C-alpha cells in the first residue's frame, strides 16, 4: 500500500503543483473556477482514454508514438503558459486600471483562464495516463493485496490534490500586488522546465539528436527519483543529468518568455499612456 | 509613440526567430545517427527482466526491444538512461538508448520496482 501510495504520489506531484500555481495565477479572474474544473476534468478523462489506448499509441511513428505524444502534450502546455504570461503583460495594466476604476473584477475577459485550463488538462493528461495504467494493472492483477494497493493509489491522488491546495494557499499569502509578479515568474520557470522535458522526449524518440551529451551529474546532491528531486523537477525543471539540448531549450524558453513579456509590457505602457 | 517605430523594433527579432526556426528544422531533418543501432531483445515476465544485465559497447546507439509477457502494464524507467516508457501488458516496446559513456546505468520497472530491476553496462 505504501509502495502504491508513493508511486502514484510521485506521478501526481507535477500535476498538483501546476494546478496550484494556475489557481493562484488566476486569482480574481471571473469564472476561473469553472474553467479550471473543466481543464482538470477533461485532463483526467483524457488520461483514462490515453491509458486505454496506450498500446496503440506506442506503436505509432515506428514505436516512438508514446514519446512524441508526451512531448506534444508538454509543448502545448509550454505554449499556453507562455501565451498566458504575454496576455497578462499586455492586458494586466488595463485590467488593474479597470479594477481600480470600477472597484470590481470585470473586464478581465475569459481568454487567460482558458489558456491555463488547457495547461491543467495537459498536466493531468500526461501524468494521469500513467497513474491510470498503473492502477488498472493493480486491479487486473487482483489478489488479496489489490484493495490495499488501490487504496494506496487513491491516497496518492489525494496527496497530489493536497499539494495543489498547499501550493495555492501558500501563494495566496503573498500580498496581492506582488502575487502576479510571483506567479508570472513561476509560470515562466514551469514553462522552461516543461520545454526541456519535451526536448528530452523528442530525443528519446530518436529525433533531433543534437546536444545529447550529458552536461553534469548532480544525482549525488539531489536525485531525480527522490520526492524532493521530483518537486524541484516539477517546479523549475531540475534534472540531475541534463543534456546540452535540454539546457539550451530551457534557457531559450526563459529568454523568449521574459523578452516577449517585457516588450509587450513596454509597448502596452506606451499605448496606455497615449490612450488614457 | 507611433506604430511604425514599434514595427522597426520587431523586425530584427522576427528575422532572428525565423533563422532559429530554420536551423531547428535543418537539425531535425538531418539523419539521426551515422552508426546503425545495436538491437537487443529483452523479455519481462513475472515482473523480472531477462536478461537483467545488458552489456553494450560505449558510444553506440542501442535499441532495446522489450516484450512484456505479463498481463499487466509496466513502466521502463531509468533516470540514469533518461528513459520513461510504458509497456502495456502483453505488448512490445522499443526503447532507444542514446550512445553511452562507459559506466553502469541501472533501470527498473517502476510499477514493480522490488523485482523488475536491471542494469546496462557500457564499456
Amino acid at each position: 500500500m505504501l509502495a502504491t501510495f508513493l508511486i502514484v504520489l510521485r506521478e501526481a506531484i507535477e500535476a498538483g503543483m501546476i494546478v496550484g500555481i494556475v489557481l493562484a495565477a488566476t486569482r480574481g479572474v471571473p469564472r476561473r473556477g469553472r474553467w479550471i474544473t473543466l481543464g482538470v476534468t477533461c485532463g483526467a478523462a483524457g488520461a483514462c482514454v490515453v491509458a486505454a489506448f496506450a498500446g496503440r499509441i506506442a506503436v505509432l511513428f515506428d514505436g516512438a508514438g508514446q514519446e512524441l505524444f508526451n512531448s506534444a502534450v508538454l509543448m502545448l502546455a509550454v505554449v499556453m503558459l507562455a501565451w498566458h504570461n504575454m496576455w497578462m503583460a499586455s492586458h494586466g495594466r488595463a485590467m488593474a486600471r479597470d479594477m481600480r476604476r470600477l472597484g470590481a473584477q470585470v473586464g478581465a475577459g475569459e481568454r487567460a483562464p482558458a489558456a491555463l485550463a488547457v495547461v491543467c488538462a495537459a498536466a493531468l493528461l500526461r501524468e494521469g495516463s500513467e497513474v491510470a495504467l498503473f492502477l488498472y494493472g493493480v486491479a487486473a492483477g487482483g489478489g488479496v493485496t489489490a484493495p490495499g494497493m488501490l487504496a494506496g493509489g487513491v491516497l496518492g491522488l489525494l496527496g497530489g490534490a493536497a499539494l495543489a491546495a498547499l501550493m495555492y494557499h501558500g501563494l495566496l499569502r503573498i500580498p496581492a500586488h506582488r502575487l502576479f509578479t510571483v506567479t508570472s515568474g513561476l509560470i515562466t520557470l514551469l514553462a522552461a522546465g516543461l520545454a526541456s522535458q519535451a526536448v528530452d522526449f523528442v530525443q528519446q524518440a530518436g529525433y533531433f539528436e543534437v546536444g545529447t551529451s550529458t552536461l553534469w551529474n548532480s544525482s549525488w546532491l539531489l536525485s531525480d527519483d527522490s520526492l524532493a528531486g521530483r518537486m524541484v523537477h516539477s517546479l523549475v525543471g531540475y534534472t540531475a543529468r541534463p543534456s546540452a539540448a535540454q539546457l539550451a531549450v530551457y534557457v531559450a524558453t526563459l529568454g523568449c518568455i521574459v523578452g516577449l513579456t517585457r516588450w509587450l509590457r513596454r509597448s502596452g505602457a506606451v499605448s496606455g499612456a497615449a490612450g488614457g | 509613440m507611433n506604430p511604425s517605430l514599434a514595427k522597426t523594433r520587431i523586425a530584427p527579432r522576427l528575422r532572428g526567430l525565423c533563422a532559429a526556426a530554420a536551423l531547428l528544422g535543418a537539425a531535425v531533418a538531418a539523419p539521426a545517427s551515422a552508426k546503425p543501432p545495436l538491437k537487443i531483445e529483452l523479455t519481462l515476465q513475472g515482473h523480472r527482466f531477462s536478461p537483467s544485465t545488458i552489456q553494450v559497447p560505449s558510444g553506440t546507439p542501442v535499441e532495446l526491444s522489450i516484450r512484456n509477457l505479463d498481463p499487466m502494464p509496466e513502466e521502463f524507467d531509468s533516470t540514469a538512461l533518461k528513459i520513461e516508457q510504458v509497456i502495456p501488458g502483453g505488448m512490445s516496446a522499443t526503447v532507444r538508448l542514446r550512445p553511452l559513456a562507459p559506466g553502469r546505468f541501472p533501470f527498473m520497472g517502476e510499477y514493480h520496482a522490488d523485482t523488475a530491476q536491471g542494469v546496462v553496462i557500457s564499456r
Side-chain angles (χ1 to χ4, degrees):
Chain A
M1 180 170 161
L2 182 68
T4 328
F5 168 73
L6 285 176
I7 289 173
V8 173
L9 181 64
R10 258 162 51 109
E11 300 288 351
I13 283 176
E14 187 168 298
M17 288 194 147
I18 291 176
V19 172
I21 292 172
V22 162
L23 278 170
T26 53
R27 188 188 175 196
V29 174
R31 278 187 289 274
R32 62 104 186 237
R34 206 183 298 170
W35 276 108
I36 292 169
T37 311
L38 185 72
V40 168
T41 313
C42 288
C48 296
V49 174
V50 169
F53 291 100
R56 268 180 241 176
I57 293 173
V59 296
L60 296 174
F61 299 103
D62 205 15
Q66 216 178 88
E67 292 90 333
L68 293 178
F69 175 78
N70 275 334
S71 75
V73 171
L74 286 167
M75 282 186 214
L76 175 70
V78 172
V79 170
M80 289 295 150
L81 288 169
W83 194 84
H84 172 79
N85 262 12
M86 286 182 229
W87 190 90
M88 284 298 293
S90 56
H91 291 73
R93 194 173 293 267
M95 251 171 76
R97 199 179 51 209
D98 288 353
M99 277 160 76
R100 270 201 302 275
R101 193 183 293 160
L102 302 170
Q105 294 155 342
V106 291
E110 291 191 20
R111 283 179 299 161
L116 289 184
V118 174
V119 170
C120 290
L124 265 95
L125 182 64
R126 206 180 82 67
E127 309 262 46
S129 62
E130 286 173 15
V131 172
L133 262 175
F134 171 64
L135 292 181
Y136 161 74
V138 168
V144 285
T145 53
M149 286 174 79
L150 284 177
V154 171
L155 284 179
L157 288 176
L158 289 177
L163 197 65
L166 265 176
M167 194 82 206
Y168 174 59
H169 289 290
L171 285 171
L172 286 197
R173 298 181 80 98
I174 297 169
H177 62 280
R178 288 188 53 210
L179 178 65
F180 287 119
T181 315
V182 173
T183 53
S184 299
L186 283 174
I187 281 176
T188 308
L189 290 170
L190 205 60
L194 295 179
S196 85
Q197 276 189 61
V199 77
D200 192 50
F201 273 117
V202 169
Q203 293 191 332
Q204 271 186 47
Y207 295 89
F208 189 58
E209 294 189 316
V210 177
T212 51
S213 55
T214 304
L215 289 181
W216 69 77
N217 182 353
S218 50
S219 51
W220 55 273
L221 187 66
L222 184 58
S223 151
D224 284 326
D225 295 322
S226 64
L227 281 180
R230 193 86 185 184
M231 281 189 191
V232 185
H233 172 80
S234 305
L235 209 54
V236 300
Y238 171 81
T239 172
R241 296 177 183 81
S243 69
Q246 276 187 297
L247 186 68
V249 166
Y250 188 90
V251 172
T253 310
L254 275 186
C256 279
I257 298 181
V258 170
L260 281 168
T261 47
R262 284 226 175 124
W263 179 69
L264 281 169
R265 201 172 294 142
R266 211 165 44 210
S267 52
V270 169
S271 69
Chain B
M1 191 177 287
N2 73 56
S4 68
L5 245 176
K7 224 174 262 168
T8 51
R9 247 191 293 146
I10 316 171
R13 296 180 201 212
L14 272 182
R15 230 174 290 147
L17 265 179
C18 289
L23 264 177
L24 197 76
V28 173
S33 178
K35 276 190 200 169
L38 178 71
K39 294 189 182 184
I40 297 174
E41 299 204 341
L42 260 83
T43 55
L44 184 66
Q45 191 165 25
H47 311 304
R48 281 172 205 280
F49 289 105
S50 160
S52 59
T53 304
I54 301 159
Q55 309 260 8
V56 303
S58 65
T60 308
V62 175
E63 252 183 48
L64 302 179
S65 172
I66 307 174
R67 283 170 64 205
N68 181 2
L69 301 176
D70 290 328
M72 286 178 237
E74 185 56 88
E75 186 178 29
F76 184 95
D77 189 294
S78 169
T79 49
L81 295 164
K82 297 181 72 161
I83 286 174
E84 212 183 319
Q85 190 169 354
V86 174
I87 315 166
M91 305 268 302
S92 295
T94 308
V95 170
R96 292 175 181 78
L97 309 186
R98 285 153 274 201
L100 297 171
R104 287 173 59 87
F105 301 86
F107 60 85
M108 62 166 177
E110 199 187 356
Y111 299 161
H112 304 91
D114 44 343
T115 53
Q117 292 282 347
V119 63
V120 173
I121 297 172
S122 159
R123 39 173 119 225

